[in-house]
Amino acid sequence: YRAEQDEIAVRMPHMSLPRLEAQTDKQLTAMARHFVFENPFFAVRKFLSGMCFIWFLSSTTAKSWGWMMFQMPLVALAVIGLYRRHQWDFHQCFLLCVAVAYVVPYALLLALARYSMPIIPTVILFASSGLVSLLKRDAHRADMGHPLRKKTETIRQHLADDR
């Protein structure tokens, strides 16, 4: 930032500070756009790594492990909840859009776990949906797989047929 600003200041020495900052922002935006168009795979790789790191990366290894133990199960359950959601209403779509609109810029710019904290309540909502869907599926599987349950259903069916 400083190098670009100094270069612009040398070219236009009588520019006011607000105009200099605006010109520097324009120059850096153009450079970033040019870089992304010339290296699209770098941008995609940075985004994907940022989407991973934003949930647990911190300043120390101990903090990162702490974040990971708390947030990785939440994120995994949230992904399951999003994947298994069959019907979406307006409120759920809105919450998902807010979460995506919040996480994506931080994932691209500065992927640290502390920046994911404001969106954690929304992640918890989707994680609870994932947990409920897992528990329902397991409960259904347990009901169908229990041997006494099958025998009881068979006996009930025979009794119903005899009547």
Side-chain angles (χ1 to χ4, degrees):
Y1 182 83
R2 286 284 183 215
E4 287 299 318
Q5 193 173 41
D6 291 343
E7 185 180 310
I8 294 169
V10 167
R11 281 186 283 150
M12 299 174 213
H14 300 296
M15 186 180 287
S16 68
L17 183 61
R19 291 189 73 197
L20 179 62
E21 288 186 2
Q23 188 65 30
T24 305
D25 286 345
K26 283 181 188 177
Q27 179 71 24
L28 290 175
T29 301
M31 288 170 59
R33 191 175 296 124
H34 179 71
F35 182 79
V36 167
F37 286 133
E38 282 197 2
N39 304 306
F41 292 116
F42 173 81
V44 169
R45 191 180 80 224
K46 178 149 176 62
F47 172 71
L48 292 176
S49 65
M51 286 301 288
C52 178
F53 292 145
I54 196 166
W55 301 110
F56 64 87
L57 187 66
S58 194
S59 58
T60 66
T61 305
K63 284 183 185 179
S64 294
W65 278 105
W67 283 108
M68 190 182 301
M69 289 187 319
F70 172 69
Q71 294 200 133
M72 292 315 269
L74 279 179
V75 172
L77 286 172
V79 168
I80 291 169
L82 291 171
Y83 179 74
R84 291 191 176 175
R85 169 86 38 218
H86 297 293
Q87 295 176 345
W88 288 83
D89 65 3
F90 175 76
H91 302 295
Q92 293 163 342
C93 289
F94 181 74
L95 282 175
L96 182 61
C97 288
V98 167
V100 168
Y102 182 85
V103 169
V104 166
Y106 283 111
L108 285 170
L109 299 175
L110 187 60
L112 292 174
R114 65 181 178 178
Y115 296 121
S116 68
M117 273 292 98
I119 211 68
I120 287 297
T122 304
V123 174
I124 290 172
L125 288 173
F126 289 119
S128 66
S129 174
L131 183 61
V132 166
S133 73
L134 280 177
L135 292 177
K136 279 184 181 179
R137 189 173 126 205
D138 287 344
H140 177 69
R141 208 183 272 166
D143 285 345
M144 299 307 288
H146 196 277
L148 289 178
R149 175 92 51 207
K150 287 180 182 178
K151 288 181 182 178
T152 306
E153 290 298 323
T154 305
I155 292 170
R156 283 186 191 158
Q157 195 172 28
H158 285 298
L159 290 175
D161 290 343
D162 290 340
R163 288 183 193 168

